[in-house]
Amino acid sequence: MERLALRSRLKPGAEELYDREHAAIPAELEAAMREHGVRSWRIWREGLDLFHLVEVEDYAAFQAAMKDHPADRAWQAKMNRLLDGDFDKDSGGLRLVWEMT
């Protein structure tokens, strides 16, 4: 099991819309994430900063499996309009800032 902490950032002024739209993710997306090894994914927001705590069997395998999943592509397109910089799976996804061994 891998435990990762990741960070992303919102565009200024996107906080309320992000909170509202991200209050729940589509059931199809959550099912796909669980199917591909995610055990938990928590996100905290402090101002514009988003901190992610992820527990997943294999993060690289998860990213590869989800790369072209229709539910994830649609979700990322929706979220990208709120982020300061797109979540680009082709660039390896969110930048890892810390990992618990």
Side-chain angles (χ1 to χ4, degrees):
M1 176 75 66
E2 293 181 74
R3 292 181 180 96
L4 305 130
L6 306 164
R7 179 188 167 275
S8 55
R9 189 165 172 84
L10 294 174
K11 291 178 182 175
E15 300 93 335
E16 286 183 37
L17 184 56
Y18 174 85
D19 288 350
R20 189 169 52 249
E21 292 196 8
H22 207 281
I25 65 170
E28 179 184 12
L29 176 58
E30 184 175 349
M33 291 171 66
R34 289 188 185 283
E35 178 183 337
H36 295 294
V38 172
R39 296 297 170 246
S40 68
W41 193 308
R42 296 173 181 91
I43 302 174
W44 291 268
R45 183 174 69 75
E46 177 66 33
L48 298 176
D49 292 308
L50 301 169
F51 301 96
H52 308 247
L53 180 59
V54 182
E55 292 181 341
V56 60
E57 293 297 326
D58 180 328
Y59 188 66
F62 162 73
Q63 283 190 309
M66 294 295 289
K67 182 177 180 188
D68 293 318
H69 192 285
D72 194 44
R73 281 287 179 187
W75 180 254
Q76 294 308 326
K78 182 178 179 178
M79 289 295 109
N80 280 346
R81 73 186 205 286
L82 305 175
L83 296 178
D84 185 10
D86 286 353
F87 179 82
D88 182 0
K89 289 187 179 236
D90 295 330
S91 70
L94 297 174
R95 180 175 59 90
L96 174 66
V97 294
W98 174 78
E99 180 176 2
M100 180 184 292
T101 58

